[in-house]
Amino acid sequence: MKNQISPDILKKWLTAWSLSRELPLPIAFKSGFKVEADDVKQKEKYLFPEHNDFIELSNTVN
């Protein structure tokens, strides 16, 4: 079983997610993407096709 998904599929899904909520389109962030979530508890979402950049990002969160 693979531990990653296609970055192209991820971008297409996030684009549809953003459009359906009338939010800005996803932007590239390291190996993945960042999208605005427009939620009080979650302002941004970061999605990566692999774990490597997620671990680095998690170390920067307060």
Side-chain angles (χ1 to χ4, degrees), residues 25-44:
L25 297 177
I27 59 170
F29 183 85
K30 299 194 180 254
S31 68
F33 301 94
K34 176 179 117 172
V35 293
E36 291 187 24
D38 196 31
D39 187 316
V40 174
K41 293 182 180 180
Q42 186 179 46
K43 296 180 181 186
E44 300 170 332

Side-chain angles (χ1 to χ4, degrees), residues 29-31 48 51-61:
F29 183 85
K30 299 194 180 254
S31 68
F48 301 100
H51 298 293
N52 56 346
D53 288 328
F54 170 77
I55 293 168
E56 184 181 329
L57 176 64
S58 69
N59 290 327
T60 68
V61 176

Side-chain angles (χ1 to χ4, degrees), residues 2 6 9 11 14-15 20-21 25 28 33 36 38 42 45 52 54 57:
K2 288 176 125 181
S6 161
I9 290 173
K11 183 177 182 182
L14 286 171
T15 298
S20 71
R21 288 160 177 78
L25 297 177
F33 301 94
E36 291 187 24
D38 196 31
Q42 186 179 46
K45 292 178 183 271
N52 56 346
F54 170 77
L57 176 64

